[in-house]
Amino acid sequence: MYALHSKPSSLHGKKVIVCEDEGITQMHLALVLEQAGLSLIDTVGSGPKAVRSVLDTRPDIVLMDISMPGGGNGIQ
């Protein structure tokens, strides 16, 4: 697993959304982000759901997969 620094970072408490269609990758990212002190507010698995979630929750950070089902992609 990853070694995390013990001192708080400037990212501590920031709201994050993970946009990823692979379940195991979603779970791994969630674990790493929460251990780093970030607040995971949503995980979604398609482009349209990602757009809705971002507009509804206004996160500080979005981790976006480039290729997901449902139309559109992480770059668009």
Side-chain angles (χ1 to χ4, degrees):
M1 193 49 73
Y2 299 97
L4 299 175
H5 300 288
S6 60
K7 68 178 185 176
S9 75
S10 61
L11 295 177
H12 185 79
K14 296 288 185 185
K15 300 182 300 183
V16 181
I17 292 177
V18 171
C19 307
E20 167 62 54
D21 59 322
E22 295 291 332
I24 192 73
T25 304
Q26 275 187 0
M27 291 188 311
H28 186 246
L29 287 170
L31 177 66
V32 171
L33 293 169
E34 289 173 345
Q35 286 178 343
L38 288 105
S39 176
L40 182 63
I41 58 174
D42 200 4
T43 56
V44 296
S46 72
K49 288 180 182 177
V51 171
R52 277 193 300 276
S53 182
V54 168
L55 292 174
D56 289 346
T57 62
R58 301 293 182 178
D60 299 303
I61 300 167
V62 177
L63 293 180
M64 176 70 82
D65 190 352
I66 292 176
S67 177
M68 292 192 304
N73 64 49
I75 296 172
Q76 292 172 328

